[in-house]
Amino acid sequence: MGILLTWLGGVVVLAAVFVALAYLRRPYWGWVLGGAYVLGMWWLSGPSVPVLFWIVVGIFAFAALLGGVVPLRRALVTAPAMPAISSILPKMSDTERAALEAGTVWWDRELFGGAPRWGQLLAFQCRDLDARERAFLSKEVSELCAQLDDHRVTRDGDLPPEVWTAIKRSGLMGMIIPRSFGGLEFSARMQSAVVARLSSRCVTAAVTVMVPNSLGPAELILHYGTDAQKNHWLPRLARGEEVPCFALTEPYAGSDAASMRSVGIVCRGTFDGREVLGMRLTWDKRYITLAPVATVLGLAFKLRDPERLLGGEEELGITCALIPTATPGVEFGERHDPLDVPFMNGPTRGSDVFVPLEFIIGGPKMAGRGWTMLMQCLAAGRGVSLPALSTGAAELATRVVGAHATIREQFGLPIGRFEGIEAKLGRIAGLTYTIDAARKLTLGALDAGEKPAVVTAIMKAYTTEAMRVVVNDAMDVVGGGGICRGPRNTLAHAYQSLPIGITVEGANVLTRSMIVFGQGAIRCHPWVQEELAAADARDLVRFDRAFWGHVGLVFTNAARALLLGLSDGALADAPVRGAAAPYFQKLSRYSAAFGIAADTAMGTLGASLKRKENLSGRLADALAWLYIGSAVLKRFVDEGQPDSRRAAFLWSMDNAVFEIERALTGLFDNLPLRWVALGLRWCVFPLGARAKPPSDRRTSEVARGILDDGALRLALTETIYVPDGGELGLGFLEATLDKVMAAKDAREKLKEAQRRKVLPRGAVLSVLQAAVEKGVLGPDDAQRIRDAEAARDAAVQVDSFEGRELLRGR
């Protein structure tokens, strides 16, 4: 009995040691020590060794032998296993492979690996605006904002001619074009700042500026064009002499852009009076921004060479070309109406339009390379434009509701003091802080030369979804004032435009499951892409290294998830002290949990996980919020963990942790193999899932930070344009807030006098004279109250129109 108890106790100790070594990324030594322990027990036990001993010895000896003698492992296990494992790995089409290989991998790889190195993230320096960019933002961009009247733009259905001229002359259509070609050559941080500021003023103007600087002719020419194309087109685009658009989407090719039916046939023909080798193009594109006014059309199509005039394959693949819209046969000019947000957007068509092969971006040698070109550009572009648009909308909403909830009173109190409104205000401010933190970190990566495709997909999908929540909450706060459109309504057009950001550049429902996790599972995982490449190449040595590295990672993440789960992350290192420290530990814990959850899902479902979009979507949510939480941590630490932003930081981190845990529990609830799900849940949540959303108290604290013109309100809205007080809308709201705050102390004196019955109950203005007569207030205080009440009354009004005027506006 004593020997048996010793054996059992030793097994417990051995299991603990094995888990500890796996946690320290040394699982192999667990097998070695296990084998040594069993041999030692055999020596102590003498001849009375149970048969089970030999089984245990065999397991540990075999595992240790495989880990230590690589040629033996490769011959006995890896070689026969490689075909079976290859069969369950996901198969990829050429277009999927091009998308997968686009861009780079960055911090997302650390999160996928299960043990993020926080020191590296904190040491990373995000580029700020330089002096030239700050001056341009302050002068040219602000001057353009001052010219914009969003209400007029919407009623007229277009930007005024003087605004179009200002956009072109200022060079805003060439922000990405180098100065050597006449462009502004702004950083990604500056491009984002411009779009965010413009979007807070007029979504139509922001879209007009952002599209030429996103996926389109300028970027494609810059990266892939011939010298002749660069010298011809880039200076003209930079000066605004040419207005570009890029046509990708079709009636039968939306998110699945690779299924496009637009076609080009290589042939000989006549162009400008001379016979050339060219292509005859036929296309039908829609939803193309700037198409109605474009002078040059970037076109994506499938190129075929049935006569093999180029000497290669008949099916060349997706190709991108530049077509002047004046070319005979090009149809454009019609407009779509994107939810009454009147940026130029419409269809373009062409039938048998003949152009030379030199119109292909990069020349004939780039025929069939279009999909790769597009994916490489999108790998960066998704991280700039739409996150900037989301930031502008969120900051505008924060600025508006902070003022409105202070000015607007019901039941004798500012509405911001009611808990129901506080809940909305807190979430608005918390998500605005979150969005901007993620935006700045991602822009820092882009300016450092990275093109993190998965990170930018996260930014596109999750910032636009956060924008939707923020703007919807803001509409709830302003109530009827947000419904009635007119010069006073600063939120209506942001609200109308929400579905546009959700849909373009890859609908969020697709981006979430197919790009963030679908690509992330292969591209960001430390070993999966290497396994796929080795299996395709039938490279046994390479596959052996990748496969067993993957196996070791599974053991490591399982051990880390268990131990960090038992300690709620306390065993993980934190690179700093203070309020941020426990959240570094929590994200380390959830990184390991995500790693083992992702590997388990891929291992049990194999290629079928690609079709389980609810499961892959939850894994995407976990990865996305790990990244967003990382960005919030970096922002707060970089700022010096200031008390003024502590509440917003804590709200953001509580929300991120809750979203991660909700995603993982949702995954475990729905994994098809229930016994696997139960084991995984025990490993990841040994003490149960305990994360909670931000508390009412925390939310209230954040809400109070944006009321009464608080410091948090100003800090969260530093990107947007604030007009002067003479303008209806935000400008007048700001001026009213100033007057209300100037009169705040005087009003408190008056209310205190009413509570002590020095003054009778009644409306403020009705007792004001009595307050002066009784010495409760001085004449100056009384005048401040009169000014504030007059401004308050004007600020809560909404626009109305004579019927025929309203119809003309439609």
Side-chain angles (χ1 to χ4, degrees), residues 674-716:
R674 298 311 304 150
W675 64 272
V676 171
L678 290 172
L680 193 56
R681 183 186 293 274
W682 177 83
C683 177
V684 170
F685 299 122
L687 303 179
R690 300 190 294 175
K692 305 293 183 188
S695 66
D696 292 348
R697 182 177 180 181
R698 181 89 72 217
T699 302
S700 176
E701 186 180 0
V702 177
R704 288 195 298 271
I706 64 170
L707 292 172
D708 297 338
D709 204 23
L712 183 61
R713 175 176 178 265
L714 301 178
L716 292 180

Side-chain angles (χ1 to χ4, degrees), residues 43-113:
W43 182 76
L44 291 173
S45 303
S48 57
V49 177
V51 175
L52 180 63
F53 161 78
W54 297 110
I55 298 174
V56 175
V57 166
I59 292 172
F60 278 98
F62 186 65
L65 193 62
L66 290 181
V69 185
V70 175
L72 183 64
R73 177 187 73 197
R74 196 177 294 152
L76 294 180
V77 180
T78 308
M82 188 168 76
I85 295 170
S86 299
S87 67
I88 66 171
L89 290 173
K91 302 299 185 288
M92 291 183 290
S93 65
D94 290 340
T95 54
E96 287 176 317
R97 192 178 301 279
L100 186 66
E101 294 173 354
T104 62
V105 179
W106 188 57
W107 183 247
D108 40 346
R109 186 183 182 91
E110 290 288 318
L111 297 173
F112 232 109

Side-chain angles (χ1 to χ4, degrees), residues 70-421:
V70 175
L72 183 64
R73 177 187 73 197
R74 196 177 294 152
L76 294 180
V77 180
T78 308
M82 188 168 76
I85 295 170
S86 299
S87 67
I88 66 171
L89 290 173
K91 302 299 185 288
M92 291 183 290
S93 65
D94 290 340
T95 54
E96 287 176 317
R97 192 178 301 279
L100 186 66
E101 294 173 354
T104 62
V105 179
W106 188 57
W107 183 247
D108 40 346
R109 186 183 182 91
E110 290 288 318
L111 297 173
F112 232 109
R117 291 170 286 185
W118 297 110
Q120 289 187 5
L121 183 67
L122 294 183
F124 176 73
Q125 297 296 312
C126 294
R127 182 191 186 281
D128 203 351
L129 301 182
D130 61 29
R132 178 177 70 96
E133 291 171 334
R134 286 195 297 271
F136 189 96
L137 189 65
S138 178
K139 185 176 187 298
E140 282 85 350
V141 177
S142 292
E143 288 176 353
L144 177 60
C145 286
Q147 287 183 266
L148 290 165
D149 179 344
D150 201 21
H151 176 65
R152 175 190 168 191
V153 169
T154 301
R155 290 177 71 95
D156 292 350
D158 192 7
L159 296 170
E162 62 271 20
V163 171
W164 275 105
T165 299
I167 288 173
K168 293 175 181 179
R169 285 182 177 174
S170 65
L172 283 171
M173 286 188 161
M175 289 193 290
I176 64 171
I177 296 175
R179 281 187 273 183
S180 58
F181 290 103
L184 293 173
E185 198 174 349
F186 283 156
S187 63
R189 179 71 174 263
M190 176 59 174
Q191 295 168 48
S192 175
V194 170
V195 173
R197 181 160 295 187
L198 287 174
S199 69
S200 72
R201 183 66 166 161
C202 176
V203 173
T204 299
V207 172
T208 301
V209 167
M210 83 183 192
V211 166
N213 294 287
S214 185
L215 177 64
E219 186 171 17
L220 291 169
I221 294 168
L222 187 60
H223 293 294
Y224 301 104
T226 64
D227 289 342
Q229 289 170 340
K230 292 177 182 178
N231 291 328
H232 176 81
W233 289 111
L234 291 180
R236 290 169 170 80
L237 291 168
R239 294 191 297 266
E241 294 174 7
E242 303 282 358
V243 177
C245 70
F246 190 81
L248 178 62
T249 305
E250 303 178 1
Y252 298 97
S255 297
D256 182 16
S259 65
M260 67 179 66
R261 299 182 181 183
S262 297
V263 65
I265 306 297
V266 177
C267 61
R268 295 192 178 276
T270 302
F271 188 84
D272 284 347
R274 57 190 178 92
E275 184 176 333
V276 297
L277 184 61
M279 48 194 174
R280 200 167 297 280
L281 303 170
T282 297
W283 72 89
D284 179 10
K285 303 285 188 177
R286 64 180 182 181
Y287 309 148
I288 311 305
T289 299
L290 295 182
V293 296
T295 61
V296 57
L297 167 67
L299 184 68
F301 56 92
K302 290 183 176 179
L303 186 62
R304 300 181 63 244
D305 185 10
E307 299 180 32
R308 301 184 187 272
L309 297 175
L310 298 180
E313 298 292 327
E314 181 177 335
E315 301 291 338
L316 296 173
I318 294 174
T319 301
C320 296
L322 291 174
I323 316 295
T325 56
T327 303
V330 177
E331 299 176 25
F332 68 103
E334 294 180 358
R335 292 182 63 179
H336 299 309
D337 180 4
L339 289 174
D340 211 21
V341 181
F343 59 89
M344 288 291 166
N345 184 277
T348 175
R349 303 177 185 89
S351 180
D352 291 332
V353 177
F354 182 79
V355 295
L357 284 178
E358 283 70 26
F359 279 23
I360 295 174
I361 297 175
K365 71 179 186 298
M366 295 301 288
R369 299 284 305 280
W371 188 248
T372 298
M373 294 159 61
L374 294 173
M375 291 300 100
Q376 289 285 355
C377 290
L378 271 175
R382 281 194 183 104
V384 179
S385 297
L386 290 171
L389 206 68
S390 301
T391 298
E395 290 195 9
L396 176 64
T398 299
R399 192 89 179 195
V400 168
V401 298
H404 179 84
T406 300
I407 294 167
R408 177 70 167 164
E409 292 186 344
Q410 292 287 275
F411 307 103
L413 287 173
I415 64 172
R417 301 301 177 185
F418 293 95
E419 284 193 353
I421 299 295

Side-chain angles (χ1 to χ4, degrees), residues 708-773:
D708 297 338
D709 204 23
L712 183 61
R713 175 176 178 265
L714 301 178
L716 292 180
T717 59
E718 60 187 8
T719 307
I720 67 172
Y721 176 77
V722 180
D724 63 53
E727 180 182 306
L728 289 177
L730 180 59
F732 188 78
L733 195 64
E734 290 286 311
T736 300
L737 180 62
D738 289 343
K739 292 177 181 178
V740 168
M741 296 309 300
K744 182 179 179 182
D745 290 343
R747 283 196 81 197
E748 286 298 323
K749 291 179 185 178
L750 190 148
K751 287 184 176 181
E752 178 62 24
Q754 288 179 317
R755 283 192 291 269
R756 292 188 290 107
K757 299 184 180 180
V758 174
L759 294 173
R761 296 285 183 181
V764 171
L765 293 178
S766 68
V767 298
L768 200 56
Q769 185 59 38
V772 174
E773 292 172 354

